[in-house]
Amino acid sequence: MARGEIVIDENFCKGCGYCSKFCARGCIEQNGDRFSPQGYILAVFAHPEKCNACGVCAWMCPDHAIEAYRLVEAQTTAHS
Amino acid sequence: MNGESREGLALFGGVLGVPPKALKSPLPASRERGDTGGERTSDHMQRQLVAGRPDAWMRLEFNPIPTCPGCQEPTATRAVLDVLEEMGMEGEAILVPGVGCHSLIPFMLDLDHVMSAHGRPPDLASAIKRVLGRGAADRALPLVFTLQGDGDCIAIGAGSLVNAAARSENITVLMLNNVNYGTTGGQMSPTTPLGHATSTTPGGRTPDYGYPVRVPEMLATFQGVAYAARGAVNTPANYQKTRAYIKKAFQTQMAGRGLSMVEVLCSCPPDWHMTPLNSLKWIEAHIIPQFPLGEFKGP
Amino acid sequence: MADRLFVQGNEAVAWGAVSAGCEAFFGYPITPQNEITEWFAREFPRMGRVFLQSQSETGSINMLHGAAACGVRAMTSTSGPGWGLMQEGMSNLANAELPCVVVLVQRGGPGAGTTRHAQMDYASATHGGGAGGYRNIVLAPASVQELHDFMPLAFHLADKYRNPVVVLSDAILGQMAEPLERKQLEFEPLPPKDWAVLGKAHHADGKRRGISIGQGFIPNPDFPTYLSFIDHLDKKTKQMRQDEVRFEALNVESARLILVAYGSMARACQGAMEMARAEGLDVGMLRPITLWPFPSQAIRRNIREGVQFLVVEDSLGQMVEDVETAVGERAPVHFLGMLARHEPREMGMIFPDRILEKIKEICRK
Amino acid sequence: MTDIGVKKELVAGRPDLWLRMENNPIPSCPGCHEPTAMRAILEALEELDAVGDAVMVVGVGCSFAFQSMVDLDYLVCAHGRPPDGASAVKRVLKGDHVVFTIQGDGDCIAIGAGALINAAARAEKITIFMLNNANYGTTGGQLAPTTPLGHVTSTTPGGRTPAHGYPVRVPELLATFQGVAYTARGAMNSPANYQKTKGYIKKAFAAQRVSLGLSFVEMLCACPPNWHMTPLDSLKWLEQTVIPQFPLGEFKDVQGASGKTQEATR
């Protein structure tokens, strides 16, 4: 299984919850513990171990607050 | 708006009342698609971008996008930008927004745009396409598309739309349908489904106020319309289908076959008085049955 | 390329637009300007330029908006009722700072009024009818030659100020035929239109361009606040008022009575003035060429002991109000309007002898 | 010359509702079909006994002249706006009124497309008559959205080509609206077509009377002067060039409308 990671831009998140609804693996939570600078309930990437880098959360985020990454073996040619 | 710069966009801070100060974005200021960015996670893995903000979306370093929580207009716009990127047409694209919530979106996009009066984008787009698309040797055909709300498109702008279709203009009309007038506080629009309560139909729309207009079906009757479809972005599957519709519409335009039109159903949680998640359920349960998804006229 | 033609005023407009390098025309049929639209329909496609018939005048003005945003010279033409529908667009074009030219061939109003001649649109052309706060330069030609010559001028002024310009013709001027000398007019050089929307790939600096009708409302780097935009408009308006006033003065230096008229009525007044002078009456004439900015200064300069003014218009009196404002209490202002047409039917005109009668009546007092 | 005992009975004259203008002909061009279309509407009103309840809403165009010639209550609206005016009249009067508009093709689907489409979207209980002469007659024969391909107008001197778009078929377009009860297209070029069209008109009025929704009838009319033809040639042209691009017939008749029509007629 591919492994993935997402980055949520907390300045852009408005807490609508679409990302957690459409994450098939339940990686994203909104438990009301954290708030954005604008006062929205933040989505939190709570279970990174479940993420398979499908990118659906990023498509469905209306606010373009999410970047989804796939984790791949580091190439030797990659800059260190 | 000469010499517009990204710094200028921080001015939205003034609109939203957020002090433009040290809120740092965790995202890198600039990156290339697929670039690992040299970042390594602890276990010798590298990150590869799967989906982020579309490149044409200008960074607003200090602010979120000025739409309401759960609004799907930026989602629909993302689908458009994805298609433009895929086709490599960002440099030739000219966006003509109307008046409505989506009027703010072009200010955040790194695309040429001309904002139109309420309901008139098809008129402007027709002129732009005919002026720039005369087959001059020094330029490729422009990709001209409108971004309109449902009120803009079929209430105040019905005359412009219908006549652009009658003239068989080579433009693409994108209608973001949130079934009410979002900007002014959720009044009835011609596309409000029966039973949907708005601030001017507090008991829900009844046949006394007429029936919702199905725009792609209507346009499909025109000989000059080459492509008409309706999509939604309420689920990942629908999002992908909508993206395919938009791509076909743009391809239809570039092939010069006539007017192409895609309607995208969007949620509008604040004006529907729902949570964002309930609004997605509402789309599925009450709106899609009255507005069937699919292609109504195709190449 | 001077060559001589014998053409209608409406065709002269079209020739003028061609010599100005107009690239696009958008129109909708309305009497009495149909000859303009039809000329462009016939000739523009042959020239490889854009002609498009819109679904309404609202459509025309918005098509003009689109074409102007692409940085080409574009125009439309209409008459009173269509002008009413265009007000939305005129206001938006002024906000978006897009240069374009609208030829307004006046007819009788209000409402659908009549398709026959009248000068009923002075007030709405000079004072505007869309969402407020904008000003357009309004040029008033008085001959077929001027209908031609004012088109390059109008396009030049539009580009110079990035503002719509109105050419105010009327049914008499549009329908009458006169000799026309086609010539290329020279103007000072203009800055390049680097704000034009062409697609991001077509700009030297690679940065996007955007044209908005929400300048001042939605902040941009040039105008971060509403007042900064208004300040810019104010400077532009003041410069137009200062630099662009145009008028023609005949025998005003010593005149006891000064006629004030524009467009077709100015021609009737000129005839009346000559007849009066032949009879020994000391009559002069002042013809505003720009109706906005209005030549108030020129009028004020001619106020002397014993001088009087007579305004002649083919309406119930619109420009007379501007003359009264300019003159104030310092001299009497008389008015002769459309009810003085020579026969009590809609086809009638105000002829010079009727104006002469009025001149004599004033001078006798 | 009648024999004694034989009574002359008028078979067809001017409709009673046509105001007599003793010294003047009707102010339309020779061969114009618009007065014929108006006659069909007036006869239908008389046959349905709806004269007293009728309100006519007129747009701008050659049909503008009907305001002075027809003995009905009328309202004249701005160019293209009769559906707006008629909607308000129908909703304000509330009673059993028959409200209909008379519009040209330019008035109806060019400048007035917005008003028409939104009246259909609101399912207004009004009847719209579009007199389609395939060009802008009043201003001298320019291209209209309903100009057939190949037809020469003063703004398409080489004939209409697909570069100018394709003709709009309004009844077919309106038939896609849920709020539209009845749409049809008739023509005035032959007695048979005249009678059929009158039937369509009666059905349209009947649909309005039983509040089924908006009803719409397009009537193809000849415009000899602007087509640069003799009246007789224009009939041939209508038959050979216009009707093939604008098929005649009914395009929508919501279930039961026909049955209820008979009832309402009776």
Side-chain angles (χ1 to χ4, degrees):
Chain A
M1 185 192 89
R3 284 181 59 200
E5 186 179 301
I6 65 168
V7 180
I8 300 172
D9 186 338
E10 302 190 349
N11 297 319
F12 276 64
C13 176
K14 290 190 196 131
C16 66
Y18 293 171
C19 51
S20 48
K21 174 167 169 73
F22 290 111
C23 179
R25 309 179 78 85
C27 306
I28 309 171
E29 281 182 1
Q30 271 182 306
N31 47 23
D33 287 353
R34 299 196 56 221
F35 296 90
S36 80
Q38 280 76 31
Y40 297 115
I41 300 173
L42 280 175
V44 178
F45 188 41
H47 302 288
E49 72 283 357
K50 293 184 188 169
C51 180
N52 68 347
C54 67
V56 165
C57 51
W59 306 337
M60 296 311 291
C61 174
D63 293 299
H64 304 346
I66 300 178
E67 286 197 337
Y69 293 92
R70 178 179 294 119
L71 298 179
V72 292
E73 288 292 339
Q75 304 280 313
T76 47
T77 52
H79 22 190
S80 51
Chain B
M1 288 190 44
N2 298 352
E4 186 169 340
S5 64
R6 291 185 173 200
E7 291 74 61
L9 293 160
L11 293 162
F12 277 115
V15 176
L16 296 175
V18 178
K21 59 174 171 55
L23 298 173
K24 266 291 224 198
S25 171
L27 304 184
S30 67
R31 50 146 179 78
E32 280 170 32
R33 187 146 293 259
D35 180 16
T36 56
E39 284 182 62
R40 281 180 187 216
T41 51
S42 53
D43 53 350
H44 304 288
M45 299 291 267
Q46 260 182 340
R47 301 201 305 182
Q48 232 176 29
L49 189 68
V50 177
R53 270 181 217 144
D55 284 346
W57 202 280
M58 296 175 96
R59 300 306 171 96
L60 302 152
E61 297 296 343
F62 308 109
N63 286 299
I65 292 164
T67 52
C68 309
C71 171
Q72 285 189 318
E73 291 193 348
T75 318
T77 312
R78 162 195 282 275
V80 176
L81 297 176
D82 282 356
V83 172
L84 283 179
E85 241 169 66
E86 256 174 68
M87 295 173 70
M89 289 298 288
E90 289 149 304
E92 306 295 340
I94 296 174
L95 165 61
V96 187
V99 169
C101 299
H102 61 274
S103 295
L104 288 173
I105 290 175
F107 289 93
M108 294 177 279
L109 300 184
D110 191 14
L111 295 177
D112 274 22
H113 66 266
V114 188
M115 183 181 169
S116 135
H118 201 17
R120 319 295 175 218
D123 293 334
L124 272 78
S126 306
I128 292 170
K129 183 77 183 187
R130 283 180 186 250
V131 167
L132 295 182
R134 276 181 290 166
D138 60 332
R139 68 158 300 145
L141 280 182
L143 175 65
V144 184
F145 64 100
T146 73
L147 194 63
Q148 302 179 260
D150 48 331
D152 194 89
C153 195
I154 194 63
I156 196 166
S160 298
L161 175 69
V162 165
N163 280 285
R167 292 191 306 266
S168 191
E169 298 287 354
N170 268 315
I171 57 173
T172 302
V173 173
L174 297 175
M175 170 172 140
L176 308 183
N177 182 2
N178 61 7
V179 308
N180 64 24
Y181 290 108
T183 318
T184 47
Q187 291 84 0
M188 186 188 89
S189 88
T191 53
T192 301
L194 290 178
H196 192 89
T198 69
S199 62
T200 48
T201 54
R205 187 178 188 169
T206 61
D208 190 38
Y209 303 108
Y211 300 88
V213 185
R214 303 201 178 102
V215 185
E217 286 94 321
M218 177 189 94
L219 285 184
T221 63
F222 283 81
Q223 207 175 339
V225 173
Y227 185 80
R230 180 186 291 115
V233 286
N234 65 327
T235 64
N238 282 341
Y239 173 86
Q240 290 296 5
K241 276 187 208 154
T242 304
R243 206 167 102 160
Y245 296 156
I246 294 171
K247 190 166 182 184
K248 275 196 198 169
F250 284 168
Q251 284 166 342
T252 305
Q253 180 188 155
M254 296 321 286
R257 282 202 289 266
L259 190 125
S260 46
M261 192 267 176
V262 181
E263 171 178 343
V264 185
L265 299 176
C266 295
S267 67
C268 183
D271 286 330
W272 295 358
H273 305 288
M274 291 175 198
T275 64
L277 290 176
N278 283 344
S279 75
L280 293 192
K281 277 187 212 149
W282 182 265
I283 290 186
E284 194 67 47
H286 295 277
I287 297 186
I288 293 180
Q290 294 194 41
F291 289 98
L293 306 183
E295 290 172 299
F296 300 93
K297 193 166 187 181
Chain C
M1 63 177 250
D3 57 336
R4 290 178 72 83
L5 302 169
F6 185 71
V7 292
Q8 265 196 341
N10 281 341
E11 288 174 73
V13 165
W15 285 114
V18 169
S19 78
C22 175
E23 283 285 317
F25 181 92
F26 305 95
Y28 184 80
I30 185 169
T31 314
Q33 64 76 49
N34 291 318
E35 292 82 4
I36 303 182
T37 309
E38 289 170 5
W39 192 96
F40 282 105
R42 203 167 55 236
E43 305 295 338
F44 253 31
R46 281 186 212 165
M47 298 180 181
R49 305 186 192 188
V50 177
F51 167 81
L52 186 57
Q53 185 179 320
S54 64
Q55 75 278 13
S56 69
E57 286 86 352
T58 311
S60 307
I61 197 79
N62 284 291
M63 289 171 179
L64 197 54
H65 192 146
C70 295
V72 302
R73 286 188 163 180
M75 66 173 286
T76 182
S77 66
T78 188
S79 186
W83 176 243
L85 283 181
M86 286 186 183
Q87 295 310 310
E88 164 200 84
M90 290 302 287
S91 185
N92 288 334
L93 283 158
N95 181 296
E97 302 198 84
L98 289 176
C100 63
V101 174
V102 179
V103 177
L104 172 51
V105 185
Q106 298 176 87
R107 68 187 228 187
T114 159
T115 55
R116 305 275 157 69
H117 64 93
Q119 294 182 315
M120 295 294 231
D121 296 325
Y122 175 90
S124 65
T126 55
H127 294 84
Y134 65 100
R135 287 296 195 181
N136 309 314
I137 295 177
V138 183
L139 298 171
S143 65
V144 169
Q145 185 66 48
E146 280 190 348
L147 277 167
H148 173 278
D149 295 352
F150 284 8
M151 291 308 295
L153 175 65
F155 276 110
H156 176 77
L157 292 176
D159 284 346
K160 183 172 169 190
Y161 293 100
R162 287 187 64 183
N163 204 54
V165 172
V166 180
V167 175
L168 192 67
S169 172
D170 61 47
I172 295 177
L173 288 173
Q175 305 283 338
M176 74 185 186
E178 279 184 336
L180 166 70
E181 189 188 335
R182 282 182 64 204
K183 54 191 173 188
Q184 203 67 40
L185 299 171
E186 298 298 329
F187 297 98
E188 74 222 63
L190 291 164
K193 294 180 176 179
D194 61 356
W195 43 263
V197 166
L198 300 166
K200 207 174 63 172
H202 300 270
H203 304 307
D205 58 4
K207 285 188 185 145
R208 67 155 188 183
R209 302 288 188 273
I211 303 278
S212 169
I213 58 164
Q215 297 209 88
F217 176 24
I218 295 169
N220 69 38
D222 291 343
F223 307 118
T225 61
Y226 175 61
L227 273 186
S228 65
F229 175 62
I230 288 300
D231 183 50
H232 168 73
L233 273 191
D234 182 47
K235 286 194 184 104
K236 192 155 102 171
T237 312
K238 278 183 179 146
Q239 201 197 338
M240 288 194 271
R241 277 187 210 270
Q242 189 189 315
D243 296 351
E244 303 305 339
V245 178
R246 287 170 168 77
F247 61 91
E248 183 188 27
L250 295 171
N251 307 317
V252 289
E253 297 78 17
S254 59
R256 309 268 302 163
L257 178 67
I258 298 176
L259 302 175
V260 186
Y262 72 94
S264 56
M265 280 303 109
R267 298 167 68 106
C269 281
Q270 197 171 344
M273 178 188 75
E274 278 155 16
M275 287 155 77
R277 291 184 78 82
E279 292 185 27
L281 295 168
D282 204 354
V283 177
M285 185 181 127
L286 200 143
R287 172 168 80 95
I289 289 174
T290 48
L291 300 181
W292 191 94
F294 191 73
S296 307
Q297 282 283 357
I299 290 177
R300 238 173 270 138
R301 265 202 303 275
N302 286 300
I303 302 176
R304 292 173 298 271
E305 185 59 35
V307 81
Q308 300 191 58
F309 291 87
L310 170 59
V311 181
V312 184
E313 278 180 90
D314 202 1
S315 73
L316 294 174
Q318 300 184 3
M319 186 175 72
V320 65
E321 289 169 8
D322 281 347
V323 177
E324 276 167 354
T325 310
V327 171
E329 300 283 307
R330 294 191 288 158
V333 177
H334 305 275
F335 176 69
L336 190 71
M338 68 193 299
L339 292 174
R341 288 174 174 187
H342 79 287
E343 52 177 330
R345 288 171 55 192
E346 60 193 51
M347 295 78 154
M349 279 174 58
I350 305 175
F351 279 135
D353 47 3
R354 180 68 186 83
I355 301 171
L356 182 65
E357 250 174 59
K358 181 78 177 176
I359 291 172
K360 284 180 181 164
E361 184 191 316
I362 295 167
C363 292
R364 226 176 285 132
K365 272 183 208 156
Chain D
M1 272 291 286
T2 47
D3 295 332
I4 294 163
V6 178
K7 215 173 94 194
K8 271 209 294 193
E9 199 177 76
L10 187 69
V11 177
R14 273 186 214 140
D16 288 346
L17 292 172
W18 203 276
L19 289 176
R20 300 306 166 100
M21 297 189 286
E22 298 298 341
N23 301 321
N24 287 307
I26 291 168
S28 55
C29 309
C32 173
H33 269 152
E34 296 202 347
T36 323
M38 194 69 222
R39 167 198 281 273
I41 295 167
L42 295 178
E43 285 181 5
L45 280 175
E46 278 172 3
E47 286 168 26
L48 291 172
D49 196 20
V51 171
D53 298 330
V55 179
M56 174 169 79
V57 184
V58 186
V60 171
C62 297
S63 51
F64 198 52
F66 291 144
Q67 58 178 292
S68 58
M69 294 187 294
V70 177
D71 190 13
L72 291 176
D73 278 15
Y74 71 90
L75 161 74
V76 181
C77 283
H79 200 17
R81 316 294 180 229
D84 294 336
S87 304
V89 168
K90 182 76 181 187
R91 283 183 186 251
V92 168
L93 292 181
K94 286 185 181 128
D96 190 23
H97 287 82
V98 175
V99 181
F100 65 97
T101 74
I102 305 262
Q103 302 177 258
D105 47 338
D107 193 88
C108 196
I109 193 62
I111 197 168
L116 175 70
I117 297 272
N118 281 286
R122 294 192 305 267
E124 298 289 353
K125 312 317 182 261
I126 57 174
T127 303
I128 289 173
F129 294 115
M130 174 171 126
L131 311 185
N132 179 1
N133 60 6
N135 66 25
Y136 289 109
T138 319
T139 47
Q142 291 86 355
L143 175 81
T146 50
T147 302
L149 290 177
H151 193 87
V152 174
T153 71
S154 63
T155 48
T156 54
R160 186 179 195 167
T161 63
H164 304 106
Y166 299 88
V168 185
R169 306 204 175 101
V170 188
E172 287 93 324
L173 166 71
L174 287 183
T176 62
F177 284 78
Q178 208 177 339
V180 173
Y182 182 82
T183 73
R185 182 185 290 114
M188 291 292 143
N189 64 327
S190 71
N193 281 342
Y194 175 86
Q195 288 301 341
K196 271 190 212 155
T197 308
K198 202 164 96 181
Y200 300 154
I201 294 170
K202 281 162 83 171
K203 278 197 188 172
F205 280 136
Q208 179 183 161
R209 280 198 148 175
V210 293
S211 292
L212 283 172
L214 188 129
S215 46
F216 179 93
V217 182
E218 172 177 345
M219 288 174 255
L220 299 178
C221 297
C223 183
N226 286 318
W227 294 359
H228 304 288
M229 291 176 199
T230 64
L232 289 177
D233 284 346
S234 75
L235 292 190
K236 267 188 225 153
W237 179 265
L238 196 67
E239 185 76 40
Q240 288 166 1
T241 311
V242 182
I243 291 180
Q245 295 193 42
F246 290 97
L248 306 183
E250 289 171 305
F251 300 92
K252 190 172 188 184
D253 190 358
V254 296
Q255 217 178 1
S258 318
K260 282 174 189 163
T261 307
Q262 318 251 304
E263 213 171 279
T265 318
R266 242 177 272 135

